[in-house]
Every structure is written in structure tokens, then in C-alpha cells.
Amino acid sequence: MGLYDYYLAFRFRLDDASAPEHVALVITERDLLEQGAYATLEEFVRWAFEYGSERVTISVSVLDEAVVPTLSRELRDLDTPYPIAVREPGDTEPADAPVQVNIGLGGKREFAAVVRSLAEEVEAGELDPEDIDGTDIEERLVFPDEPDFVVKTGAERLSDFMIWQSVYAELYFTDVNWRDFRKRDYLRALRDYQDRQRRFGR
């Protein structure tokens, strides 16, 4: 770690604004084609826990679902300091692990599956439509936890990521190529998050 990285880390720890408990990273399948991309991903997860986060969600947006099995195999083999849960399109079991990976399961698809589930329960007489609230939706999501901080590479849009869960998250967009993403880039993102906490999100 270089001198500038030490400076950023010092400023981060000196700040009384809290670190995000749940950090989410949104990348694309093309990001993972770059040499060293998976090593950078492993480092990102370590940095998140090193600087105070308790949960990390990684979302990989895909254009062609044919690549999902390959990505899933590679991502399940990530060397992370805590257990990892990987979910793909079609999965319905909630992800419950310190490190969660979403491969191509878009927010719209996830939300539509919840709506179908609720409709089926209503039709079966197991649920009264008048009683349905946000909690019923959250309990049926594959990724039920709400991130505090979302880091997104590339264009400034969420790529259909966690459309329900990210409503109140702080968003950070970086134009740094994923293969070149370094610890200092993550620390800059954290400092930006702390600045927003002091401004109460403004």
C-alpha cells in the first residue's frame, strides 16, 4: 500500500462518520473478462470487511445468460474471508451469507417472482390482499438485505440491480476500469460515503 493509500486510510479511520455496514458492487460480465478481474474482486471483498462492512453483495449484470454457468463456477471459487452464497436467474432461495453474489438475476425479474408468489398465495386463500405490505415483499426476495452503499463501474445507471432494496442506498459511480480498480479507489469511495453521512445524504 502506497503513501497516498495510507493517507486515505488514516483519514477514513479518523472520521467519526460510520462505514457502510452493507456494501454492494455492481459490475458487468465484460469486467470479468479482463485479466486479473477475479483477483481484484477478491481484494474488493477483503477491503470492504477490513474497513468496517459486515456484508458484501456482488452483482454481475449479464447480456447473455449462456455465460452464467461459467461465471457461477468462477465466482463460487472466490477466495473470500467469509462464506459466500451465489444466486443465478431462476433461483428463489434467499441468499444469506456475509458475501452474496448475484449473477444475472435482475431486479425486475426478482420483483416479478415475488409478485407471482404473492398472487399464488392469495389465490390459494393463504394471504389476504389487504394485509400485504412491504415486509411481505422483502421476505420473499432472493436478496432481502438493503445495501447502505452501492459502488457501480461504468455508466451511471444501476443496470436493473436490486430495484427494491437500493431505494435508500448511497450510490457511487466510478469510471475506473475494473481491472485497474485499486485500494485507493475503494478508499476514495468510502471517503465520499462518509462525506454524505455528515451531510445527511444531501
Side-chain angles (χ1 to χ4, degrees), residues 89-144:
D91 286 342
T92 57
E93 181 184 357
D96 185 17
V99 183
Q100 303 175 157
V101 179
N102 172 3
I103 308 173
L105 177 57
K108 291 181 180 179
R109 178 182 292 189
E110 182 185 27
F111 190 72
V114 170
V115 172
R116 283 194 299 271
S117 174
L118 290 169
E120 290 168 0
E121 292 180 48
V122 168
E123 186 176 9
E126 300 169 357
L127 190 63
D128 186 336
E130 297 295 327
D131 294 333
I132 296 175
D133 59 17
T135 301
D136 293 296
I137 294 172
E138 290 160 8
E139 289 174 346
R140 291 163 176 79
L141 292 168
V142 176
F143 294 90

Side-chain angles (χ1 to χ4, degrees), residues 12-26:
F12 168 79
R13 298 190 188 284
L14 192 65
D15 200 311
D16 57 3
S18 61
E21 291 184 10
H22 182 180
V23 173
L25 170 69
V26 183

